Amino acid sequence: MHAIVRQALRHAEILTAMGLVFVAGWAFVAWMTLSMSHPLVRLAMPLDTAWSWATAAAVVVMWGGMMIAMMLPSAAPMILAFDGLERRNAQAGRATSRSLAFGGAYLLVWIGFSALAAGAQWALQASGMLTPMIVSSSSGLTAGLLILAGLYQLTPLKQACLRHCRTPLGFLMAEWRDGTRGAFAMGLKHGLYCAGCCWALMLLLFVAGVMNPVWIAFLTLAVALEKWPQMPGWLTWLYSAALIAAGAAMVI
């Protein structure tokens, strides 16, 4: 009985910590969208491609804040499962440090993705396909991103990555490694699987605007739903078809 209570309290502690990070991420997104005239926000939304190091850093930070806000909810089941297994096999203090290493490695993958997204933003803006508000100004780009995301949903690579993300215990039992380095390696691998699932959906931020909170919330929900283990297969086909149809309509 005491063990069950301790486990419940620990889950509440982990959920609270992740909730605070999640709220901080969304507070950052809200602040960015409501403070367009702020110097730091303007720095992250450059008018041209003559980026300074400060501009590049601001753009990466902007993307990083969004990725944390969008991806942490769908990672919660895996982090909770890891912490629960770790605490059964280690002292409380060590379990906490290893859980932090696991979660930190996961977020590190998305920080890396943020750097790549910032590079894509610069390239698209340089080619004239992206406005300073970070919204696609090219019907070809919009159509291409929609069709790419729709087709990728149906690929074997996407489905393989999803299987790992949908079954936390299965992933952890297959990939388990002891120690803090092992926890970091596992978190990194899970982050890579997660990025393999979601990178095409994240690129859709360019379609309706990187600073569009409604669009960000919609994509966050889509990511969380597709990682739900009981999600019917026909729903994947449905929204894949919707993305492809939307892209085709843009071409026509």
Side-chain angles (χ1 to χ4, degrees):
M1 184 66 179
H2 292 298
I4 294 174
V5 172
R6 285 197 299 269
Q7 184 70 12
L9 290 174
R10 178 61 180 176
H11 277 189
E13 180 183 333
I14 294 292
L15 284 172
T16 299
M18 286 191 292
L20 290 174
V21 175
F22 173 74
V23 169
W26 274 97
F28 175 76
V29 171
W31 174 75
M32 292 280 287
T33 57
L34 296 174
S35 307
M36 295 292 186
S37 60
H38 194 282
L40 292 178
V41 178
R42 292 171 66 89
L43 189 64
M45 301 174 66
L47 297 176
D48 54 45
T49 53
W51 289 12
S52 64
W53 284 108
T55 299
V59 174
V60 172
V61 168
M62 176 192 69
W63 277 95
M66 283 191 301
M67 292 302 101
I68 290 172
M70 296 177 72
M71 302 310 304
L72 195 56
S74 65
M78 183 70 75
I79 296 173
L80 285 172
F82 174 84
D83 186 74
L85 289 175
E86 186 62 55
R87 288 184 68 81
R88 294 178 187 176
N89 301 318
Q91 297 177 1
R94 293 180 180 177
T96 298
S97 66
R98 291 170 187 170
S99 296
L100 289 173
F102 182 90
Y106 173 82
L107 293 179
L108 185 62
V109 171
W110 285 103
I111 292 173
F113 177 86
S114 299
L116 294 175
Q121 179 181 328
W122 178 86
L124 291 171
Q125 194 172 347
S127 63
M129 293 190 289
L130 206 65
T131 72
M133 293 296 291
I134 323 176
V135 181
S136 171
S137 59
S138 164
S139 59
L141 173 63
T142 300
L145 291 176
L146 288 167
I147 293 172
L148 172 65
L151 291 176
Y152 184 68
Q153 296 299 107
L154 307 176
T155 63
L157 177 59
K158 167 78 177 191
Q159 297 307 311
C161 291
L162 262 183
R163 282 194 295 273
H164 288 281
C165 293
R166 285 176 172 172
T167 54
L169 287 177
F171 169 82
L172 293 172
M173 297 303 291
E175 302 293 340
W176 190 264
R177 302 179 187 183
D178 293 326
T180 302
R181 288 186 179 180
F184 185 88
M186 293 168 65
L188 204 62
K189 192 164 188 178
H190 173 53
L192 291 172
Y193 278 127
C194 188
C197 285
C198 306
W199 66 269
L201 288 176
M202 294 301 101
L203 292 182
L204 294 181
L205 286 166
F206 289 124
V207 170
V210 173
M211 304 298 291
N212 184 335
V214 176
W215 188 237
I216 294 172
F218 174 79
L219 291 176
T220 301
L221 180 61
V223 167
L225 282 177
E226 74 171 6
K227 291 184 180 180
W228 180 43
Q230 284 75 41
M231 181 178 175
W234 62 266
L235 275 179
T236 298
W237 284 90
L238 181 63
Y239 76 78
S240 296
L243 288 169
I244 294 169
M250 291 292 298
V251 173
I252 295 172

